Amino acid sequence: FMARNKVAAALSHPVRATLGAGVGGETRYDFARVPLLEIGPAREVRLQNFVAGFSAEGTLGSSMYDALLGAGFLQRYRVIFDYARSRMILEPRAGAAASAEFDMSGLYVTANGADLRKFIVYRIMPGSPASNADIRVGDEITSVDGRASSSMTLSALRDVLRSGPSRIVRVEVARGREHIAKQIQLRILV
């Protein structure tokens, strides 16, 4: 699909990043800003200037489908499956949120612990705001903007890390026995 439709040539400056991890290991994607996506024979769905992830290193690649539409995309629509006609209908939801922005910190954080409220830095994008702030792999994020990380979900933490270019996010990390205050100045990475 990518080659047939010359998708890679249309993308500017993709960023390879970890999307998640599971039983099969880490999943990596090339994230890029897409100027235009039209879906459907009559181009019923039309999105402009949004961030999309493209399978990298064989992650979720298959000849059985051309693309995966994630929850962030689908939550913007009422999804109807018309099995008799083998089609999916997407009806825009009133007041649906705009497309999610890509992480602006350069951090990939995992949730650990019994309640999944212990946030560990798993990967840092070189040259990113987190790298510039001297955040390190293995650091535990203990607070964000003065709020204890134990009171946050991983999703809430990720929302803060993509909350706007030039915004300064104050984090405290535990590194060994030390507790260190850091400031990450967010910027658009994709």
Side-chain angles (χ1 to χ4, degrees):
F1 177 82
M2 298 279 290
R4 188 171 66 243
N5 293 286
K6 300 179 177 120
V7 173
L11 304 176
S12 63
H13 311 294
V15 172
R16 182 151 299 168
T18 300
L19 178 66
V23 174
E26 187 175 339
T27 57
R28 306 210 2 111
Y29 278 67
D30 289 331
F31 290 91
R33 196 159 295 276
V34 175
L36 175 66
L37 172 69
E38 296 174 326
I39 301 173
R43 297 179 170 95
E44 296 92 341
V45 175
R46 189 170 202 269
L47 299 172
Q48 293 180 287
N49 192 34
F50 69 99
V51 175
F54 300 90
S55 175
E57 302 168 9
T59 301
L60 297 177
S62 174
S63 60
M64 300 293 291
Y65 50 80
D66 289 332
L68 298 173
L69 303 174
F73 172 83
L74 291 174
Q75 72 185 3
R76 299 172 53 194
Y77 300 93
R78 180 172 170 233
V79 181
I80 303 164
F81 292 99
D82 180 354
Y83 289 105
R85 293 181 187 89
S86 297
R87 64 183 184 152
M88 177 175 68
I89 301 164
L90 301 174
E91 292 181 352
R93 290 184 187 268
S99 298
E101 191 57 58
F102 183 73
D103 169 79
M104 295 181 182
S105 70
L107 284 175
Y108 180 71
V109 178
T110 59
N112 297 322
D115 60 358
L116 298 178
R117 302 292 173 118
K118 181 177 180 180
F119 303 120
I120 306 297
V121 176
Y122 180 78
R123 187 177 302 282
I124 300 171
M125 187 181 302
S128 67
S131 174
N132 295 341
D134 192 35
I135 306 289
R136 299 180 188 170
V137 170
D139 284 352
E140 178 185 350
I141 297 174
T142 57
S143 74
V144 178
D145 287 336
R147 181 177 168 195
S149 59
S150 60
S151 70
M152 302 177 79
T153 63
L154 182 58
S155 178
L157 173 63
R158 287 182 174 158
D159 285 346
V160 171
L161 297 177
R162 63 174 171 244
S163 59
S166 300
R167 182 173 184 272
I168 294 175
V169 176
R170 296 177 334 274
V171 297
E172 186 173 304
V173 299
R175 184 178 297 156
R177 294 177 187 230
E178 287 184 273
H179 285 267
I180 306 163
K182 299 287 185 176
Q183 291 188 10
I184 302 172
Q185 184 167 0
L186 304 179
R187 74 172 189 271
I188 293 175
L189 299 173
V190 172

